[in-house]
């Protein structure tokens, strides 16, 4: 080889070593990029009442309600004017201009179904993304009890008939929204032999749940998490 070939080879090796030191090497243990659309949302079996969520938890809409909308019409179809609910929504928007209750309700419907099914299936990973630590602990206690007794729960939604806001509050940069869900589902719990210990696989039950979601409006994290659960007749 002539002197020029040797010089070019040396230069190529030098550049390669410099790039390697700056960029590093892949070891095969790196975490993959976070993909908000990766989780597969469980689809409705009999209708399209549930709107798929854009991620694993409820996130914000990209746009806020128009500022030039008359106060009486601002929350039309969501809250009556001059009610505590309307005042609470106003307070949340004052803290977070991107908040859109209609977008929130769509996400809440999907979150409701995902959480109920994840709880029935004992899917801790899914629940951790959707629940506050306190609610997760209470859910996990029930899951552990089922596992201890070698029981499995099967739950299937027939429909989600209603998801409506019943209260809204913003305090110290913390926003809370409470939603009433009215649904129909089939649920049954079986022991390790397949015998039914609770529920009925052939009966559709009418369920009303009242759940509260919250987020820190000062945080860059746009997601809401379930912080409280309850039921109503």
């Amino acid at each position: 080889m002539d002197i020029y070939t040797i010089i070019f080879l040396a230069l190529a090796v030098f550049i390669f070593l410099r790039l390697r030191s700056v960029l590093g090497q892949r070891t095969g243990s790196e975490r993959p990029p976070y993909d908000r659309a990766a989780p597969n949302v469980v689809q409705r079996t009999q209708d399209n009442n549930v709107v798929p969520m854009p991620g694993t938890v409820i996130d914000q809409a990209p746009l806020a309600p128009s500022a030039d909308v008359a106060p009486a019409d601002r929350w039309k179809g969501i809250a009556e004017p001059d009610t505590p609910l309307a005042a609470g929504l106003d307070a949340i928007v004052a803290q977070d201009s991107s908040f859109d209750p209609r977008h929130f309700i769509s996400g809440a419907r999907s979150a409701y179904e995902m959480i109920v099914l994840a709880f029935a299936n004992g899917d801790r990973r899914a629940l951790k993304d959707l629940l506050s630590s306190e609610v997760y602990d209470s859910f996990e206690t029930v899951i552990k009890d089922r596992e201890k007794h070698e029981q499995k729960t099967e739950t299937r939604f027939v429909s989600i008939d209603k998801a409506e806001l019943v209260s809204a509050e913003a305090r110290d940069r913390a926003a809370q929204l409470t939603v009433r869900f009215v649904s129909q589902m089939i649920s049954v719990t079986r022991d390790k032999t397949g015998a039914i210990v609770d529920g009925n696989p052939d009966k559709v039950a009418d369920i009303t749940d009242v759940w509260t979601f919250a987020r820190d409006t000062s945080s860059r994290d746009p997601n809401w998490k379930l912080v409280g659960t309850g039921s109503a007749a």
Side-chain angles (χ1 to χ4, degrees):
M1 294 187 290
D2 59 26
I3 187 64
Y4 295 106
T5 302
I6 294 173
I7 291 173
F8 284 130
L9 285 174
L11 182 61
V13 170
F14 175 78
I15 292 172
F16 171 77
L17 292 175
R18 291 290 295 170
L19 287 174
R20 186 181 185 186
S21 66
V22 173
L23 301 178
Q25 296 175 277
R26 294 193 64 83
T27 64
S29 61
E30 291 85 0
R31 295 178 63 184
Y34 180 50
D35 182 2
R36 288 185 54 77
N40 294 320
V41 178
V42 179
Q43 298 297 315
R44 306 274 334 126
T45 56
Q46 297 190 18
D47 55 39
N48 294 319
N49 285 341
V50 175
V51 180
M53 292 163 55
T56 57
V57 284
I58 305 170
D59 70 355
Q60 292 296 87
L63 299 174
S66 175
D68 56 5
V69 175
D73 297 328
R74 189 175 196 184
W75 309 123
K76 189 173 182 180
I78 301 293
E80 294 296 324
D82 302 320
T83 60
L85 176 57
L89 294 175
D90 287 337
I92 293 175
V93 168
Q95 290 188 358
D96 183 358
S97 61
S98 70
F99 174 69
D100 182 340
R102 292 169 181 81
H103 180 86
F104 171 85
I105 291 172
S106 293
R109 290 174 72 99
S110 292
Y112 175 64
E113 182 173 17
M114 290 177 70
I115 291 169
V116 169
L117 294 179
F119 175 63
N121 295 330
D123 187 345
R124 292 176 172 85
R125 183 175 181 180
L127 292 173
K128 276 193 172 182
D129 288 335
L130 298 163
L131 313 179
S132 69
S133 58
E134 293 81 2
V135 175
Y136 175 83
D137 288 344
S138 65
F139 277 39
E140 188 183 30
T141 298
V142 178
I143 292 172
K144 284 181 176 179
D145 185 67
R146 287 202 308 250
E147 292 173 343
K148 177 182 177 181
H149 294 90
E150 299 183 82
Q151 297 174 350
K152 290 187 176 181
T153 297
E154 303 164 6
T155 297
R156 179 169 64 88
F157 276 88
V158 175
S159 65
I160 298 179
D161 301 318
K162 184 180 294 186
E164 59 181 358
L165 287 175
V166 295
S167 70
E169 181 181 9
R171 182 186 302 172
D172 299 328
R173 307 302 297 178
Q176 286 195 352
L177 290 165
T178 300
V179 185
R180 179 187 293 115
F181 299 98
V182 179
S183 65
Q184 293 184 324
M185 66 181 77
I186 297 171
S187 185
V188 60
T189 300
R190 303 177 188 271
D191 63 19
K192 63 180 179 180
T193 69
I196 296 173
V197 296
D198 188 38
N200 187 332
D202 301 316
K203 181 180 179 180
V204 177
D206 296 319
I207 306 294
T208 300
D209 287 310
V210 180
W211 286 11
T212 299
F213 299 87
R215 71 175 291 265
D216 180 357
T217 56
S218 65
S219 171
R220 289 187 176 184
D221 184 355
N223 298 308
W224 298 76
K225 290 195 175 185
L226 181 64
V227 298
T229 63
S231 58

